[in-house]
Amino acid sequence: MEIGAMQNGYGVYGSETGAGTKKRTTLCEKKFEMNSKDKTAECMAFLREKSEEILEKLRNGETEESYPIGAESYTEKEWDKLLKKFDDIQEDVRRKMEERFQKREEKEEEKRIAEG
């Protein structure tokens, strides 16, 4: 660690540059401990790798973040679609049950009229 360098509670190093200010470290510097002359080349390689990952996700249509739920993984659109299907099925079941109870009540009413 260099003179004046500080480590915060998260293990991030920064140098004190003045009265109470810290030197900001870049993402690339955090990823690689840079003390060599090829700092720029390593940062460019890191950025190239990340841009290739993003490009590959775009090609595969994986632009949305996916959340693991149980044994499956769903994007927000897929999850909304699944919930809509579930709600539709649940509504259909509820409607059929109401029809069934209504028919049962009608039959019981007919029995009472026939007996009465």
Side-chain angles (χ1 to χ4, degrees):
M1 195 159 41
E2 63 189 46
I3 296 174
M6 301 170 58
Q7 181 178 8
N8 66 13
Y10 301 107
V12 176
Y13 291 94
S15 296
E16 211 165 58
T17 57
T21 61
K22 291 183 182 177
K23 177 186 170 194
R24 294 184 141 210
T25 55
T26 64
L27 177 64
C28 188
E29 289 171 334
K30 288 178 185 176
K31 178 77 175 161
F32 306 105
E33 294 184 19
M34 302 285 175
N35 293 327
S36 63
K37 293 180 184 179
D38 60 347
K39 184 187 224 181
T40 304
E42 289 182 21
C43 283
M44 292 301 290
F46 173 73
L47 291 174
R48 193 176 311 112
E49 178 183 318
K50 287 295 176 186
S51 65
E52 287 175 8
E53 284 179 26
I54 292 170
L55 185 60
E56 188 64 28
K57 284 184 177 183
L58 286 172
R59 285 182 185 144
N60 294 335
E62 300 170 358
T63 55
E64 289 187 60
E65 190 170 347
S66 181
Y67 302 100
I69 299 173
E72 296 291 325
S73 181
Y74 297 98
T75 64
E76 288 184 21
K77 284 183 182 176
E78 291 171 334
W79 182 250
D80 289 340
K81 186 177 177 181
L82 178 71
L83 289 180
K84 173 113 174 68
K85 282 183 180 178
F86 181 81
D87 289 344
D88 290 345
I89 291 169
Q90 192 173 24
E91 179 64 28
D92 189 45
V93 167
R94 187 191 61 77
R95 186 179 45 78
K96 286 180 181 179
M97 286 178 59
E98 285 178 355
E99 289 174 4
R100 182 194 229 174
F101 288 135
Q102 187 177 12
K103 286 179 183 178
R104 182 181 293 166
E105 287 176 2
E106 288 173 1
K107 284 182 181 179
E108 289 176 3
E109 186 66 31
E110 289 174 5
K111 269 186 179 180
R112 278 188 240 143
I113 293 173
E115 291 175 356

